[in-house]
Amino acid sequence: QRLEYAKILANLKMYTKAKSEFLRLVDGSLASPEISLTVALLSLELKDNILAEKFFNQALERGYSDRDKIQIYLAKIYLDRKEPDMAITFLDKISSGQLFVEAKILSAEIIADYRSVDDGIASLSKYKNLSPNDKLQFLKAKTSLLYNNDRQQDAFDLMKSEDANFNNFAEFKFDYAMLAEKMGNTLLMEQLLKEAIKIKPDYADAFNNLGYALHCIGTVSYTHLTLPT
């Protein structure tokens, strides 16, 4: 009954009371890695990173199945404490699985912030045996690192150099088009959006942006474009 009561409190976002109830359970007869994780998450919600770290580690010690998820949380705790090397240490423990890409991109962002953008990009470039989609996510991360650090031309040049490698990826064409627009190259943007639509005929975002762009430059009205249903 206490467990159900604690869950109800958490669902009602009464986090302080919920944490108190779960703390009574965490070393009792119902103790489990899931309860340790719950206490850790409630502690995070209450801005108590020290207690959160303790119970994240307890969840690991008790054999919580999704260890990578906890490594991400621990990395973010250390990042919040301005300890980037410790944050990266936790992220480095994630070598595969569903959170691999998220972990490596977060690590690259930390490296870019605390060392250099080029070091951040290099940390992503060392991974070779990636799926096409993972390669695309890494490329987007590299481009963002460059663009957001006042290296817009480098970001554009990187996308341009990868065009042939992602010739059949509508998402790449769309992202490249949006970057071309930011660089003032509306003709290239139009071309890339059309290529994205050719690859993915129901790509609503590409249709919308192409329609808006063409309307603005006066070459076509919205009525000339048929949005997918």
Side-chain angles (χ1 to χ4, degrees), residues 118-226:
D118 289 329
D119 284 346
I121 289 173
S123 74
L124 293 174
S125 298
K126 66 183 180 181
Y127 298 104
K128 304 301 180 183
N129 297 320
L130 300 170
S131 69
N133 186 62
D134 288 351
K135 288 180 181 179
L136 180 57
Q137 299 312 309
F138 275 26
L139 175 60
K140 292 172 70 172
K142 293 177 185 179
T143 304
S144 294
L145 285 175
L146 290 167
Y147 191 89
N148 293 331
N149 284 277
D150 297 322
R151 293 173 59 177
Q152 289 86 356
Q153 188 61 51
D154 288 341
F156 181 80
D157 291 343
L158 176 60
M159 292 291 277
K160 182 179 180 180
S161 70
E162 293 286 344
D163 191 19
N165 295 327
F166 294 95
N167 200 39
N168 295 316
F169 284 75
E171 185 180 349
F172 170 84
K173 298 291 186 181
F174 180 81
D175 291 339
Y176 188 10
M178 295 299 95
L179 184 56
E181 179 187 28
K182 291 177 180 177
M183 300 296 290
N185 193 336
T186 55
L187 290 178
L188 178 59
M189 177 198 65
E190 178 185 342
Q191 173 192 326
L192 290 166
L193 288 174
K194 289 179 178 178
E195 290 176 8
I197 292 168
K198 184 176 181 180
I199 297 167
K200 186 179 178 182
D202 62 348
Y203 202 159
D205 285 344
F207 267 100
N208 290 337
N209 280 275
L210 180 60
Y212 179 77
L214 295 178
H215 179 76
C216 287
I217 61 178
T219 59
V220 68
S221 70
Y222 284 118
T223 56
H224 293 156
L225 288 173
T226 304

Side-chain angles (χ1 to χ4, degrees), residues 83-99:
E83 296 184 45
D85 290 338
M86 280 297 296
I88 291 171
T89 296
F90 283 106
L91 295 171
D92 282 345
K93 295 179 182 181
I94 302 173
S95 57
S96 61
Q98 292 183 340
L99 295 177

Side-chain angles (χ1 to χ4, degrees), residues 54-73:
K54 173 185 175 180
F55 285 103
F56 278 133
N57 282 318
Q58 187 182 81
L60 289 174
E61 292 163 4
R62 289 178 169 178
Y64 186 73
S65 58
D66 192 352
R67 300 179 69 84
D68 289 349
K69 180 167 71 173
I70 294 180
Q71 308 292 1
I72 293 278
Y73 279 121

Side-chain angles (χ1 to χ4, degrees), residues 39-40 43-44 48-57 74 77:
V39 176
S43 299
L44 272 188
D48 188 346
N49 284 353
I50 293 175
L51 198 63
E53 180 185 6
K54 173 185 175 180
F55 285 103
F56 278 133
N57 282 318
L74 288 169
I77 285 175

